Amino acid sequence: NSITRFQHSHYAKKTGNLESVNSLIIVPDSRCYTTISNERMKTNMRELILYSTLFGHNLELSQLIAEHCPQMTRCGLAETSAAALANCNRLVLCPCTYGDGYLTPLEEQFFHQVQGMPLPHLSYLVVGAGDLDYGHAAFARAVLIFDRALHDQGARRLGAPIRVDYEETASGARQAVAQLKRARKEPEHG
């Protein structure tokens, strides 16, 4: 089995079936790749689903999207860097929002890598789960942060950013898949 890395030990406590090591969680997952080298990205990862998660909601969201988009490669943000986007045509990003609307440290690193990268070749969709209990301003704010960051670097939106409550990940996945299907039917611009 492959492994997916998470950044927060709360998920292990919540599910009871994960092994927590120094606040890094290892989860068996045969559909996810453990390492993504830049060389592999150049050859067969032109379409990518990237996710970041603390409690597993964006992992679930990415899995549901991947089930309907088998041509896309899915991996965790910890397994790649923003440099891989240079060789990617299409991206679905499922970022995690922490607490009152913050990015996780891993996402902050990715965000800073994206800034200043020219991405006019990239088409993207940002979709993420959040917690409505944090209020509208903080709710799934990472989705809006990354949508703006990618757009500012010249990437083309495949659809409006999608923010869903963590209890509605299936709904978010359906919305994302519908937008991706519509985008496939439209001619590429650029």
Side-chain angles (χ1 to χ4, degrees):
N1 280 338
S2 306
I3 56 173
T4 303
R5 292 178 178 90
F6 291 88
Q7 299 261 323
H8 201 279
S9 60
H10 177 77
Y11 191 60
K13 293 175 192 169
K14 185 176 174 183
T15 62
N17 64 349
L18 306 178
E19 179 181 341
S20 178
V21 180
N22 296 331
S23 78
L24 183 70
I25 297 173
I26 301 176
V27 183
D29 182 354
S30 62
R31 290 187 50 96
C32 188
Y33 298 92
T34 56
T35 57
I36 307 287
S37 69
N38 282 340
E39 192 57 38
R40 182 167 164 233
M41 185 69 174
K42 288 177 189 173
T43 58
N44 63 347
M45 290 189 50
R46 306 295 290 173
E47 297 191 17
L48 183 62
I49 300 170
L50 278 179
Y51 68 90
S52 175
T53 195
L54 292 176
F55 304 107
H57 307 301
N58 287 306
L59 168 64
E60 178 185 9
L61 186 59
S62 72
Q63 289 171 328
L64 292 169
I65 294 168
E67 287 175 11
H68 296 281
C69 301
Q71 77 284 0
M72 298 186 84
T73 300
R74 183 180 62 83
C75 68
L77 206 56
E79 285 90 35
T80 192
S81 73
L85 298 181
N87 301 306
C88 184
N89 294 350
R90 188 171 293 231
L91 171 69
V92 175
L93 180 60
C94 303
C96 176
T97 302
Y98 179 71
D100 290 326
Y102 302 107
L103 299 178
T104 65
L106 180 64
E107 289 172 328
E108 283 183 25
Q109 179 182 355
F110 189 81
F111 174 81
H112 291 297
Q113 291 172 353
V114 166
Q115 290 182 319
M117 278 184 76
L119 297 170
H121 61 281
L122 183 68
S123 297
Y124 73 93
L125 177 63
V126 185
V127 55
D131 188 341
L132 283 169
D133 290 339
Y134 282 98
H136 182 72
F139 172 63
R141 186 168 169 251
V143 170
L144 301 178
I145 291 170
F146 278 107
D147 177 67
R148 175 55 125 199
L150 292 166
H151 185 262
D152 287 350
Q153 301 315 308
R156 185 177 77 85
R157 285 184 183 106
L158 292 170
I162 301 168
R163 300 186 298 164
V164 296
D165 189 66
Y166 70 94
E167 294 178 346
E168 300 294 327
T169 55
S171 170
R174 283 191 300 273
Q175 291 175 56
V177 169
Q179 284 190 14
L180 290 168
K181 286 182 179 180
R182 278 193 300 275
R184 285 212 180 276
K185 293 177 184 175
E186 296 172 7
E188 289 289 326
H189 297 57

